[in-house]
Amino acid sequence: MGSGACPALLHLVVEIYLRLLAERNTSSLRFLLTLKDLNLLTFECTVLNVSWRRAIPKGIPPLNIAQKQTNKKTPCQRGPALLERYAVRRLPFARLGERDVAFFERLLPGRALTAQEEVKPFNVDWLKSVRGCSQLVLKPQTTAEVSQVLRYCYEKNLAVNPQGGNTGLVGGSVPVFDEIILSTALMNQVISFDKVSGILVCQAGCVLERLNEYVEEQGFIMPLDLGAKGSCHIGGNVATNAGGLRLLRYGSLRGTVLGLEVVLADGSVLDCLTSLRKDNTGYDLKQLFIGSEGTLGVITAVSILCPQKPKAVNVAFLGCQSFAKVLETFTTCRAMLGEILSAYEFMDEKCMELVERHLKLSSPVADSPFYVLIETSGSNSSHDEEKLNNFLEQAMASGLVTDGTVATDDKKIKRLWSLRERITEALTHEGYVYKYDISLPVGKLYDLVDDMRARLGQSAKNVVGYGHLGDGNLHLNITAESYSHSLLDAIEPFVYEWTARCSGSISAEHGLGFKKKQFIQYSKPRGAVVLMQQFKAMLDPKGILNPYKTLPSAPEWGLC
Ligand SMILES: O=C(O)CC[C@@H](O)C(=O)O
Ligand SMILES: [Zn+2]
């Protein structure tokens, strides 16, 4: 053992011992197991049910000591830090037993995964920032199978983590403890497509990009598009009410989803899978499930309205000298492009620097403090090009824009879009990323980035701002070499207080998941949260569906 490792190991031993003592739940067997394999730390500690915040004495480093010792970045080092931060305890669900596994193996032959290597990727989120310790992944193919799984889990009080493409950014799609993972990966069939109305009905596990290709062949497109389209599932998109890059033009899923089929916690099937544009018969129940992040039911099928594939698409990529100019360019382009405007995205110079450095993409325009991506979608290319050119002439002449390029062919359009779409990916190369997805009055969008940058100074590596300016949605991302409590303390609750002062939303499109649920009060009044708790209690009385997510768990929130 190298000389540097001894104090680190000692700290680890002391820390775990103190935690176990604090819990009065000492098990020497578990203790030894934990020490044997540092990578299993998350698993062991979460199973032990430790209330970390209470147990960690000041001055003793948290579990990222494992990182220091192995000098290797593993996802598990971040799990305990989050559990500590949110003081989450395992709820008294049943633990998975051999009989349960045998039941699921009979129900889903070859589709009940228990081998550690097979289960592992389902336990970790895409960002590798949270990790659960589920021992079972179920892959049903039909609604009837989902229903049987949930009926059994409900009866046996087994917690369930519904999972789509696992591309979420708030820790909502992976288990926190040992919840059974219910994956929609094999529910990937198109049920019907009506070429006259453009209404698509499909199973929840269809991958967004595959669906887009499917409807494109028939002259339509999906009403939403996002960077994760190659992996995300439509059911997951609906469950999180994903926004994405086309929202400015086609609106949110709350408008384009026409019907849903949902399996409730007790296994009963709620068939609201209608394909009607208009239906005012009673309450619109599907809205409850859109954006509920799998906490109220498991979405098994979706009916969705697809717009016509535009005949002409253009993309302009422009450089602006200030954020004020980005805003003025937006006002001008809205006025001049009107109905053909389909996206207005922005990014700052730091984002460009990172996509250039890490992804080897090159900027098509001269260095600028801000960049804007404008997309037009219409039915007449010469009409659209004329409008776009008039707008660009005016924007250049009035100094709103200092440099720019326009693309009309598919290949170049994709290249320009990837500069914006792949920022998330570029940021992951920088170390640990603190992510904030904020809705604000559009004029104030970048003030938060400036204020945060000034506040954090040298303690952060990068503070960047980009996002869906046309929707008033900022993605504020902060990076550091590794996760640190003190940096998080400098960011939160400052970022939420700042947002609340402007009557913004602390989650514009990513949901609350595990990481943001404790902050819901910054965007919703107490009465609204209590009503949400009541809906949850009514639809899922045992709380087995995606526990520890979306709704705050502290007792002061009443029902929980
Ligand atoms: O990584 C993020 O913070 C944003 C991801 C996504 O919503 C985007 O718009 O690119
Ligand atoms: Zn986004």
Side-chain angles (χ1 to χ4, degrees), residues 380-454:
N380 182 325
S381 52
S382 50
H383 163 267
D384 294 2
E385 274 168 39
E386 191 186 324
K387 268 183 150 178
L388 185 61
N389 288 338
N390 287 343
F391 155 72
L392 290 172
E393 264 172 36
Q394 159 130 1
M396 296 290 268
S398 58
L400 291 179
V401 161
T402 41
D403 193 14
T405 181
V406 179
T408 46
D409 70 282
D410 268 10
K411 228 167 130 194
K412 190 170 175 200
I413 287 177
K414 278 205 179 88
R415 258 209 317 274
L416 293 180
W417 262 117
S418 56
L419 291 164
R420 161 64 188 87
E421 277 184 296
R422 296 182 65 192
I423 298 170
T424 300
E425 183 190 339
L427 282 157
T428 60
H429 293 263
E430 287 285 295
Y432 189 84
V433 190
Y434 301 82
K435 288 193 167 288
Y436 299 92
D437 165 38
I438 308 284
S439 267
L440 286 170
V442 69
K444 296 201 168 112
L445 219 61
Y446 206 74
D447 291 353
L448 176 55
V449 184
D450 284 335
D451 284 2
M452 189 58 85
R453 207 171 268 146

Side-chain angles (χ1 to χ4, degrees), residues 116-415:
Q116 221 202 326
E117 279 316 296
E118 283 184 307
V119 174
K120 209 169 158 187
F122 295 84
N123 266 317
V124 187
D125 70 328
W126 181 84
L127 286 170
K128 303 209 182 326
S129 65
V130 280
R131 188 174 85 159
C133 53
S134 180
Q135 291 149 32
L136 178 65
V137 176
L138 301 176
K139 290 185 162 183
Q141 286 173 324
T142 64
T143 302
E145 287 176 347
V146 175
S147 165
Q148 280 169 281
V149 167
L150 289 188
R151 190 174 311 135
Y152 183 88
C153 291
Y154 190 73
E155 212 178 287
K156 303 282 182 198
N157 197 31
L158 287 161
V160 178
N161 176 94
Q163 190 179 95
N166 195 9
T167 57
L169 299 172
V170 287
S173 58
V174 289
V176 177
F177 295 98
D178 54 346
E179 301 87 274
I180 294 171
I181 297 169
L182 181 58
S183 164
T184 51
L186 300 181
M187 302 186 71
N188 54 8
Q189 300 300 307
V190 169
I191 298 167
S192 66
F193 183 69
D194 183 324
K195 283 190 196 170
V196 179
S197 63
I199 296 168
L200 170 77
V201 183
C202 65
Q203 283 189 298
C206 292
V207 171
L208 180 60
E209 195 166 38
R210 298 289 85 73
L211 287 178
N212 201 60
E213 286 161 4
Y214 175 84
V215 297
E216 255 192 332
E217 281 167 17
Q218 335 222 18
F220 291 82
I221 56 169
M222 292 300 285
L224 80 160
D225 183 24
L226 21 141
K229 56 181 159 267
S231 319
C232 64
H233 296 182
I234 190 70
N237 297 149
V238 174
T240 52
N241 190 22
L245 308 162
R246 290 182 182 156
L247 190 135
L248 180 69
R249 176 65 169 272
Y250 302 114
S252 104
L253 287 170
R254 294 202 179 278
T256 51
V257 170
L258 302 178
L260 288 181
E261 179 189 67
V262 181
V263 180
L264 302 180
D266 65 0
S268 54
V269 180
L270 180 68
D271 181 359
C272 291
L273 196 59
T274 52
S275 293
L276 303 168
R277 295 293 302 273
K278 300 176 87 172
D279 177 17
N280 276 355
T281 51
Y283 304 137
D284 189 359
L285 292 178
K286 69 172 183 288
Q287 296 297 349
L288 256 187
F289 300 95
I290 301 176
S292 68
E293 304 184 80
T295 59
L296 298 180
V298 177
I299 294 172
T300 46
V302 174
S303 163
I304 189 164
L305 183 64
C306 300
Q308 288 276 345
K309 180 175 156 64
K311 291 197 174 65
V313 177
N314 299 298
V315 168
F317 197 89
L318 314 170
C320 294
Q321 291 307 309
S322 66
F323 190 69
K325 299 224 157 132
V326 170
L327 291 174
E328 230 184 297
T329 307
F330 180 49
T331 318
T332 310
C333 99
R334 269 229 290 210
M336 294 186 71
L337 299 178
E339 79 294 347
I340 64 167
L341 178 65
S342 54
Y344 191 97
E345 299 284 316
F346 91 103
M347 58 199 266
D348 62 20
E349 60 185 337
K350 197 77 207 174
C351 294
M352 180 62 86
E353 196 187 306
L354 297 178
V355 292
E356 286 186 309
R357 186 184 318 148
H358 297 299
L359 310 177
K360 309 285 173 251
L361 302 176
S362 54
S363 170
V365 300
D367 286 353
S368 312
F370 293 94
Y371 301 90
V372 161
L373 186 152
I374 296 170
E375 186 192 71
T376 65
S377 306
S379 56
N380 182 325
S381 52
S382 50
H383 163 267
D384 294 2
E385 274 168 39
E386 191 186 324
K387 268 183 150 178
L388 185 61
N389 288 338
N390 287 343
F391 155 72
L392 290 172
E393 264 172 36
Q394 159 130 1
M396 296 290 268
S398 58
L400 291 179
V401 161
T402 41
D403 193 14
T405 181
V406 179
T408 46
D409 70 282
D410 268 10
K411 228 167 130 194
K412 190 170 175 200
I413 287 177
K414 278 205 179 88
R415 258 209 317 274

